[in-house]
Amino acid sequence: MLQDAVLYVHRTHIFIDTCSLLSEYSEAFWNRWIPTLRKSGQKVIIIPSVLNELMRHRDNRKDRKLARKADNVLRLLQLLEKENLVVLAGVEESNYTDADFEKIMACASRKQPMMLITQDRELAAKIHHLKNHHAMAARLAEGGILLKAKPERKEPLLTRIWQGVCSLFGKEKDDRASETCRLCGKSWPAYRMKAHICPECLKKGTIHHCKRCGKDMLYTHYLKYVEKAEPFAYCDDCYRFRKKVFQYRTCQDCGCTFPVTQGEAEFYQEKGYDLPKRCRDCRHRRR
């Protein structure tokens, strides 16, 4: 188990990914480490691509359980941000969140050590393969404790030699140690596969176009087969733009001030409707 001293190192940058925030140990992690964060003045960094993934999960209409969980995580992050325990920072996001973390962790140095909390073994292995002693990967465990993420296990030397001989003479490898990717048909170590798909194919996918600006978007096989998410309707730029406030209005029933986003304004304009005169809660009560 990682000692509490890790979080007391003032200059250590702590990052956390989407799968950790949505994991079953997430609540226990925050309950365990929030007092430590307050005492040490440390902050957990959320990069933009992770925040965008959470917002997309929140808008998932097919998986209501995932949407509620993502919404609760976003609300918690807002509260923690007000307490100055969480900060939004990082690099310009890409279509593949793991690539953002690789760029960030590669910049770790003696003056700026970094730690990434992730449940993804493949991502943890990538951080390990950077061979940067100042970049560390950790994972959440029961009770919210942090364990050092172990790198991918390599097969014994004799096994690898035997597999090389088998491949040289056209024989099949041991089925217990390898698995065939259902998309490309190549053989990969079973522990590197997700949903019977190899890491290379998970990064590939099909091109979709943004509903608003027509920009090309990559719908990866990881999103399709592992997370079982629908193709995104809007690119990252348009998605953030549609979430911006277009106008603040006063509710006719309760008198509170409520925001109308750019996306809602575009929707009402396309349908030929006027902007709403009541807040969301009052509209639900009238239904």
Side-chain angles (χ1 to χ4, degrees):
M1 184 179 72
L2 295 177
Q3 299 178 355
D4 294 10
V6 172
L7 291 176
Y8 279 106
V9 179
H10 181 70
R11 61 176 184 268
T12 301
H13 296 276
I14 305 169
F15 298 84
I16 188 167
D17 67 351
T18 310
C19 58
S20 297
L21 289 170
L22 295 174
S23 72
E24 57 182 325
Y25 308 124
S26 175
E27 184 177 354
F29 165 76
W30 291 115
N31 291 336
R32 183 184 183 91
W33 293 105
I34 281 177
T36 307
L37 292 172
R38 287 172 177 161
K39 188 175 180 179
S40 64
Q42 191 62 286
K43 300 175 185 177
V44 177
I45 303 173
I46 309 295
I47 66 173
S49 52
V50 169
L51 189 64
N52 286 339
E53 281 187 351
L54 288 171
M55 294 172 71
R56 285 167 178 153
H57 287 316
R58 181 190 61 185
D59 297 338
N60 190 338
R61 297 182 179 180
K62 291 192 175 181
D63 192 341
R64 294 294 183 183
K65 184 178 179 180
L66 176 62
R68 285 195 299 270
K69 197 167 187 177
D71 184 59
N72 291 335
V73 170
L74 286 169
R75 292 176 185 272
L76 176 62
L77 292 178
Q78 288 179 349
L79 295 175
L80 294 176
E81 189 179 16
K82 290 180 181 178
E83 289 192 48
N84 209 23
L85 300 177
V86 164
V87 62
L88 175 64
V91 298
E92 183 180 356
E93 64 268 24
S94 63
N95 289 324
Y96 198 60
T97 310
D98 289 5
D100 293 342
F101 281 122
E102 286 185 70
K103 291 178 184 177
I104 294 172
M105 301 303 284
C107 298
S109 63
R110 185 174 61 85
K111 293 183 178 180
Q112 289 186 336
M114 299 182 184
M115 179 174 69
L116 171 63
I117 303 174
T118 177
Q119 305 300 94
D120 190 340
R121 287 187 61 187
E122 184 182 344
L123 178 58
K126 290 178 180 178
I127 303 304
H128 176 77
H129 291 325
L130 291 174
K131 295 184 178 179
N132 187 336
H133 299 294
H134 304 290
M136 178 175 60
R139 64 181 177 87
L140 297 180
E142 189 174 357
I145 63 175
L146 288 176
L147 300 178
K148 188 174 181 180
K150 297 180 180 179
E152 295 177 339
R153 295 177 299 173
K154 290 186 177 180
E155 298 175 359
L157 178 60
L158 291 177
T159 303
R160 282 181 280 160
I161 293 175
W162 172 250
Q163 290 179 349
V165 173
C166 290
S167 62
L168 182 63
F169 289 96
K171 294 183 179 181
E172 294 291 333
K173 295 182 181 179
D174 188 359
D175 292 336
R176 294 173 298 176
S178 62
E179 189 176 343
T180 302
C181 174
R182 62 173 174 168
L183 296 182
C184 66
K186 295 181 180 179
S187 183
W188 282 76
Y191 59 84
R192 297 198 62 187
M193 307 283 278
K194 290 186 178 180
H196 307 289
I197 302 174
C198 67
E200 290 183 355
C201 290
L202 286 174
K203 296 180 182 180
K204 299 177 183 178
T206 55
I207 299 296
H208 290 259
H209 301 288
C210 176
K211 187 177 178 181
R212 185 172 178 272
C213 68
K215 181 181 178 181
D216 290 344
M217 300 185 298
L218 179 63
Y219 178 44
T220 62
H221 293 143
Y222 180 85
L223 292 173
K224 183 177 181 180
Y225 296 107
V226 180
E227 294 196 357
K228 299 187 185 304
E230 293 295 318
F232 302 138
Y234 302 96
C235 65
D236 292 338
D237 293 336
C238 292
Y239 187 86
R240 288 195 295 268
F241 174 78
R242 286 172 56 83
K243 291 296 180 183
K244 292 181 179 179
V245 176
F246 172 75
Q247 188 181 94
Y248 286 98
R249 299 177 67 85
T250 302
C251 178
Q252 286 186 348
D253 291 352
C254 65
C256 71
T257 302
F258 66 95
V260 177
T261 64
Q262 293 282 358
E264 290 173 334
E266 288 181 359
F267 172 78
Y268 291 120
Q269 186 177 5
E270 289 176 1
K271 297 293 184 180
Y273 300 150
D274 295 330
L275 293 179
K277 299 178 181 179
R278 296 175 177 83
C279 66
R280 183 173 296 180
D281 292 337
C282 291
R283 293 201 298 267
H284 283 306
R285 292 193 200 101
R286 290 172 59 89
R287 290 178 181 176

